[in-house]
Amino acid sequence: MLITSCTSQCLLKLKDYTDKKNISTVQILPQSTPTVTKDNNTDEFKDTSNEVIQNRSIFQCLLSCKPYQKVIENHKKKINADKSKLENSETNVYWKFKAKEFYAKTQETDKVQEKLDSLSKCTINMQKDIDILRKSLRHVSDRVVTSGKLLIDSQILLEKIHSTIKQENKSLPAYQKFIHILSRESPYIYTNEARFPVTERYISWKISFDLYDPTVISLPKQHDCFQDYERLFVEPHLTIEPSVTTMTDITNPLIDYKWNQVVESQLPDGKKIRIDRTTWIATSEDKISSVYRLDNQLSIPLNPMGRTGVRGRGALIRWGPNKSIMAVITRWKKHHDQFAVIDGQRILETLVFKDKYTNDWKLPEAKILGIESPYGAICRSFHELAFKDNDSEHSFSFEENDMIKYFESFARASLSTFEPTGIESDMIYRGYIDDLRNTDNAWVEAEIWNFHYDSNTPFPNLRQDGVAIWKDVTNNSRGFLIQTSILREIARIHQAFFE
C-alpha cells in the first residue's frame, strides 16, 4: 500500500511537472529558434531543440500508459469526491443554520403565543369582573333610582301634609298660594301610567326643569270614563312630541282651536254649540280672569297652575279649561230631632250621589258642554240624580236666578205647621279645581254654589235606592272628589264643625 501510494504521488508530481513544461513550451515555441550548445570536449556546437522534443515525447509516452491513467482517474475521482463532500458540507452548514434560525423563531413565537394566551385569559377574567361590576352598578343604580323616587314621593307627601296644616282654619287659598295636590297624584286616574314626579319647587313653568319628561295621556272617547252623552264632545288627540314644554303668550293659536275665546259652531245634527275656552282663574284680588299661556312649540294650552307630571288631554273632554257647575247642598245634622253638636259647633251634612262608573260618592255637577245654559245643566243633572227623572224640563234656558229659584222650590213647609223653611244660596268659589284628571294641557275649573236648607227634610221625594245619601261635611270628605279647602270654606261660612 505504501509503495502504491508513493508511486501515485510520484506520478501526480510528474504530471504536474509535465503540465507546467507543456505550458512553458507552448509559450516559447512561436518565438523559438534553433538551440545551439557548445560541447566543451570537442569545441563543437550542437542543436539541442530536438532533445527537448525528444524528452517531451518520452514523458508523454509515460503519461499515456494505463497505470498512469488509472492513477490520474482515481485522483480526479478523489478530487471530485472532495469537492462534492465540501459542497455537501457547506449545504449542511446552511440548512443547519436555517434550522437553528427556524427553531429560534419557533421558540420566540411560542413565547409570544404564551404571552398572548396569558393576556387573553387575563382579558377574559377582567371582562367577567367588569360584567359583575356592571351588574352590581346596575343594582346600585336601580336602588338609587328607587330611593330617589321614594325621596320625591316622600317630599310630595310632606308637601301635602304641609299644605293641609297651612290651610287649617283658613278660607280658600289665593291664586298665588295654590299648590297642586290631587293633580300630582300617581298613577294617573283610570290608567296605570305613573306621573312624572314633580315637587313643589318645580311646579311653576317659570322654573327651568330640564329633566322633565312626562308621559302623554289622551283617553279616547270610547273609554268608560266618559258617559254616553259626553262622547260626542270629546276632542281628538293632538300629536305631542316628547320635548321640553315651555311657555309663551298667545300669538300663534291653532287653526281649529280658538284659545282664550268663546266660539259658536254647529253640531252635525244642526244644534248650535257654544265652546267657552276662556278661563275663570283670577290672578289678582280684583278677580279679573287671566289669560292662560300656550306651549311655544305646540301652541296648546299650558296649565296655569303649573306642571302635573302628565301631558295630553288626559281623562277630560277638552283641551285647556273644562268648566262645570257644582252644587253643594247642605243641611244641619240632627239626632232625635236635636242638632248634632261637637265642641259647641253644629255638624253639616251634604247630599252626595254614587257614581255608577266608579262607585265613588260625588257632589251634583254639570259639565258645561255648550249645548245648554250652564245653570240649566246643573238643574237638569240634579233632577236626574235626585229623582231618577230624565225629563229635560229644566234645561237649556236657565239663568243664574232661575237656578236659585229652582233650588228654593225644594224648601218645603214642615209637615206640621206648613211654615216655609229657610234656604241660603251663595256662590262660594269659581276658578281652578285641584282634580285627579288634571294634566299639563287640560284642567278642571268650576263654579261652586252652596244651597243650605234649614229643614231636615228638604227633599221628601228623594230617591231611596241607595244612590243618594247625606254625608257629614268633615276633613275626611275627600271621597266627594272636591278639594278639602272648599268644604272647609262652606263650614266656615255656616260656622259649622270641621275636623
Side-chain angles (χ1 to χ4, degrees), residues 143-312:
R143 290 183 180 180
V144 169
V145 172
T146 303
S147 300
K149 289 181 179 179
L150 290 175
L151 182 61
I152 294 174
D153 292 341
S154 300
Q155 184 175 351
I156 294 174
L157 180 60
L158 288 174
E159 290 173 1
K160 291 180 182 179
I161 297 172
H162 175 71
S163 176
T164 302
I165 295 173
K166 187 178 180 180
Q167 293 179 6
E168 287 293 335
N169 298 322
K170 292 182 179 181
S171 61
L172 290 175
Y175 173 85
Q176 293 84 354
K177 298 180 180 179
F178 198 97
I179 298 175
H180 285 293
I181 300 297
L182 301 180
S183 300
R184 291 182 290 155
E185 285 209 355
S186 188
Y188 186 78
I189 190 170
Y190 305 119
T191 72
N192 293 323
E193 295 287 343
R195 289 182 184 265
F196 192 93
V198 180
T199 60
E200 182 178 344
R201 175 184 177 185
Y202 293 106
I203 290 177
S204 174
W205 295 110
K206 297 179 181 179
I207 304 299
S208 178
F209 194 5
D210 295 336
L211 298 178
Y212 187 60
D213 187 23
T215 185
V216 179
I217 299 176
S218 294
L219 298 182
K221 61 182 180 180
Q222 296 81 9
H223 197 276
D224 292 338
C225 66
F226 301 112
Q227 299 186 29
D228 293 337
Y229 74 91
E230 297 173 343
R231 301 187 196 280
L232 177 64
F233 306 96
V234 176
E235 295 179 343
H237 174 66
L238 301 177
T239 302
I240 299 180
E241 298 294 336
S243 59
V244 179
T245 302
T246 55
M247 65 180 184
T248 181
D249 291 322
I250 52 168
T251 56
N252 185 26
L254 295 180
I255 297 175
D256 298 332
Y257 297 93
K258 303 296 183 182
W259 309 120
N260 288 286
Q261 300 179 39
V262 179
V263 180
E264 292 186 359
S265 60
Q266 198 171 21
L267 293 174
D269 58 1
K271 292 182 180 180
K272 290 184 178 181
I273 181 172
R274 184 175 184 269
I275 301 177
D276 185 1
R277 297 193 186 276
T278 61
T279 180
W280 282 337
I281 299 175
T283 57
S284 60
E285 296 298 332
D286 54 7
K287 298 182 179 179
I288 298 176
S289 296
S290 63
V291 175
Y292 53 81
R293 296 176 180 269
L294 304 180
D295 184 280
N296 63 355
Q297 295 180 355
L298 305 173
S299 294
I300 57 176
L302 287 178
N303 191 320
M305 306 309 296
R307 298 180 177 93
T308 65
V310 168
R311 287 196 186 109

Side-chain angles (χ1 to χ4, degrees), residues 18-260:
T18 305
D19 290 338
K20 290 178 181 181
K21 283 288 184 177
N22 289 336
I23 292 171
S24 59
T25 303
V26 171
Q27 292 176 349
I28 295 172
L29 282 176
Q31 304 174 359
S32 64
T33 56
T35 303
V36 179
T37 57
K38 182 181 180 180
D39 191 350
N40 295 323
N41 296 323
T42 59
D43 294 329
E44 292 179 358
F45 292 93
K46 295 180 180 180
D47 185 2
T48 60
S49 59
N50 291 330
E51 292 180 2
V52 173
I53 294 173
Q54 186 178 3
N55 291 335
R56 187 179 60 186
S57 61
I58 293 172
F59 287 140
Q60 286 178 350
C61 291
L62 180 63
L63 292 177
S64 62
C65 66
K66 289 183 178 181
Y68 176 79
Q69 292 294 331
K70 188 175 181 178
V71 170
I72 296 302
E73 184 178 354
N74 290 335
H75 180 67
K76 288 181 179 180
K77 287 181 179 180
K78 184 178 179 182
I79 291 174
N80 291 333
D82 291 341
K83 287 182 178 180
S84 177
K85 188 175 181 180
L86 178 61
E87 290 176 357
N88 290 335
S89 176
E90 291 177 353
T91 303
N92 289 339
V93 170
Y94 172 78
W95 286 113
K96 282 181 181 180
F97 172 76
K98 288 295 182 181
K100 288 181 180 180
E101 185 180 8
F102 176 76
Y103 178 75
K105 289 182 178 180
T106 303
Q107 291 292 102
E108 185 177 356
T109 303
D110 291 341
K111 290 180 180 179
V112 172
Q113 188 63 41
E114 287 179 1
K115 290 181 179 179
L116 290 176
D117 293 340
S118 177
L119 288 174
S120 177
K121 290 180 180 179
C122 292
T123 304
I124 292 173
N125 293 332
M126 289 177 64
Q127 185 65 39
K128 290 180 180 179
D129 294 338
I130 290 173
D131 292 338
I132 295 173
L133 288 174
R134 282 179 178 173
K135 291 181 180 179
S136 301
L137 288 174
R138 193 177 299 115
H139 290 314
V140 172
S141 178
D142 292 341
R143 290 183 180 180
V144 169
V145 172
T146 303
S147 300
K149 289 181 179 179
L150 290 175
L151 182 61
I152 294 174
D153 292 341
S154 300
Q155 184 175 351
I156 294 174
L157 180 60
L158 288 174
E159 290 173 1
K160 291 180 182 179
I161 297 172
H162 175 71
S163 176
T164 302
I165 295 173
K166 187 178 180 180
Q167 293 179 6
E168 287 293 335
N169 298 322
K170 292 182 179 181
S171 61
L172 290 175
Y175 173 85
Q176 293 84 354
K177 298 180 180 179
F178 198 97
I179 298 175
H180 285 293
I181 300 297
L182 301 180
S183 300
R184 291 182 290 155
E185 285 209 355
S186 188
Y188 186 78
I189 190 170
Y190 305 119
T191 72
N192 293 323
E193 295 287 343
R195 289 182 184 265
F196 192 93
V198 180
T199 60
E200 182 178 344
R201 175 184 177 185
Y202 293 106
I203 290 177
S204 174
W205 295 110
K206 297 179 181 179
I207 304 299
S208 178
F209 194 5
D210 295 336
L211 298 178
Y212 187 60
D213 187 23
T215 185
V216 179
I217 299 176
S218 294
L219 298 182
K221 61 182 180 180
Q222 296 81 9
H223 197 276
D224 292 338
C225 66
F226 301 112
Q227 299 186 29
D228 293 337
Y229 74 91
E230 297 173 343
R231 301 187 196 280
L232 177 64
F233 306 96
V234 176
E235 295 179 343
H237 174 66
L238 301 177
T239 302
I240 299 180
E241 298 294 336
S243 59
V244 179
T245 302
T246 55
M247 65 180 184
T248 181
D249 291 322
I250 52 168
T251 56
N252 185 26
L254 295 180
I255 297 175
D256 298 332
Y257 297 93
K258 303 296 183 182
W259 309 120
N260 288 286

